[in-house]
Amino acid sequence: MPRFAYVNGRYVPHGDAAVHIEDRGFQFADGVYEVVSIHRGRLVDEAGHLDRLERSLNELRLQAPMTRRALALVMRELIRRNRLHNGLIYLQITRGVAPRDFKFPKGVAPTLVMTTKRNARAPAATLRDDEGVSVVSIPDIRWKRRDIKTVALLPQALGKQQAADAGAFEAWQVDDDGNVTEGCSSNAWIVTKDGVLVTRPATNDILNGITRRSVLAIAAREGYEFQERPFSVAEAQEAREAFLTSATTYVTPITRIDGQPVANGHPGSLSSALRGHYVAFAESDRAELYIAG
């Protein structure tokens, strides 16, 4: 079956999809993106992702290429053309094509591209109930506006490779105070010995994950105690549980940090319960649960 991409108003074969060499996304990382999970044909947390996309565009003074309603229609048409059941859709908007100059060009139309990726199984099914993943800690070397979902991802790419070289699933980035900010493509969580959920507050230090917001909403709904505060690598290693959240991995237990097992080295009961709640939410008729703001 042919695979299609969307480029500036046209659905084209994926292998033929291209943008100009002077696109500012290519030359300056002058663009933003979003990744939305597709679970059994449903766009999970679509409203939250589109809200964040609009915020990122505004923060970079970037023009939206079309209305939100039109964007949603294009997303669905691309999913339909690719006959996607489980997977993800990637959206990228850049400032457009212009002669290379640091200053913003005038009268230039933004570039919009979309691609999809198929997963044979939904993210919830990629791990057994008794499995978890490992993370390594690395210095956080990113810029100071991590709350904007830009395409400037070189530090994260370096971190992901460092994790892969160590045989780990993800890298937790650590600030100058020794506290975990977030993963390279995920938010970081722990469960204290007292059973309290902890994740870093949503400031400019992290990207406020849409899955993160939904998990906080689930925790509030289920009556789980949670705190939004920094935590150190040492505290995480001594925690009862640890896990990560993202649009592509949902809620994923962490069982080793820097080679050291978390608790007994198996997924904990709270992270497993949250994973179950999130999967149920993703499969529900109304897959929108994030906390606005």
Side-chain angles (χ1 to χ4, degrees), residues 235-249:
E235 183 180 3
Q237 289 174 325
E238 296 298 320
R240 194 175 85 183
E241 303 179 36
F243 62 94
L244 59 85
T245 57
S246 76
T248 54
T249 59

Side-chain angles (χ1 to χ4, degrees), residues 91-132:
L91 302 79
Q92 179 172 304
I93 301 171
T94 74
R95 205 173 301 275
V97 177
R100 192 177 189 279
D101 189 344
F102 283 95
K103 299 184 298 296
F104 294 169
K106 296 180 179 179
V108 173
T111 295
L112 169 63
V113 299
M114 294 188 203
T115 58
T116 64
K117 183 179 180 180
R118 184 181 305 277
N119 289 335
R121 299 180 297 170
T126 57
L127 290 175
R128 298 195 313 265
D129 288 342
D130 61 343
E131 280 186 315

Side-chain angles (χ1 to χ4, degrees), residues 196-208:
V196 178
L197 278 167
V198 180
T199 191
R200 192 168 179 123
T203 65
N204 290 359
D205 291 332
I206 70 166
L207 182 70
N208 191 4

Side-chain angles (χ1 to χ4, degrees), residues 17-90:
V19 296
H20 195 277
I21 59 171
E22 287 195 309
D23 189 278
R24 288 179 63 90
F26 174 66
Q27 296 193 332
F28 293 107
D30 188 3
V32 300
Y33 76 102
E34 279 293 333
V35 179
V36 185
S37 178
I38 302 161
H39 185 93
R40 298 186 180 177
R42 301 177 188 275
L43 285 159
V44 181
D45 259 331
E46 177 187 7
H49 286 284
L50 294 183
D51 283 352
R52 187 172 63 183
L53 178 65
E54 290 175 359
R55 180 183 183 277
S56 295
L57 290 170
N58 290 335
E59 290 297 310
L60 293 188
R61 295 162 58 188
L62 253 168
Q63 177 187 344
M66 61 180 65
T67 67
R68 179 167 174 150
R69 184 172 184 273
L71 190 66
L73 291 173
V74 172
M75 292 166 64
R76 282 161 173 77
E77 177 60 17
L78 185 62
I79 291 168
R80 186 193 69 80
R81 290 186 182 222
N82 287 319
R83 299 180 184 179
L84 200 60
H85 190 60
N86 290 313
L88 58 86
I89 185 164
Y90 175 90

Side-chain angles (χ1 to χ4, degrees), residues 224-269:
Y224 299 138
E225 185 179 353
F226 62 85
Q227 298 174 353
E228 294 182 79
R229 64 167 176 82
F231 61 85
S232 67
V233 174
E235 183 180 3
Q237 289 174 325
E238 296 298 320
R240 194 175 85 183
E241 303 179 36
F243 62 94
L244 59 85
T245 57
S246 76
T248 54
T249 59
Y250 293 1
V251 178
T252 300
I254 293 169
T255 52
R256 300 186 74 85
I257 301 172
D258 288 336
Q260 178 177 316
V262 178
N264 63 2
H266 295 281
S269 58

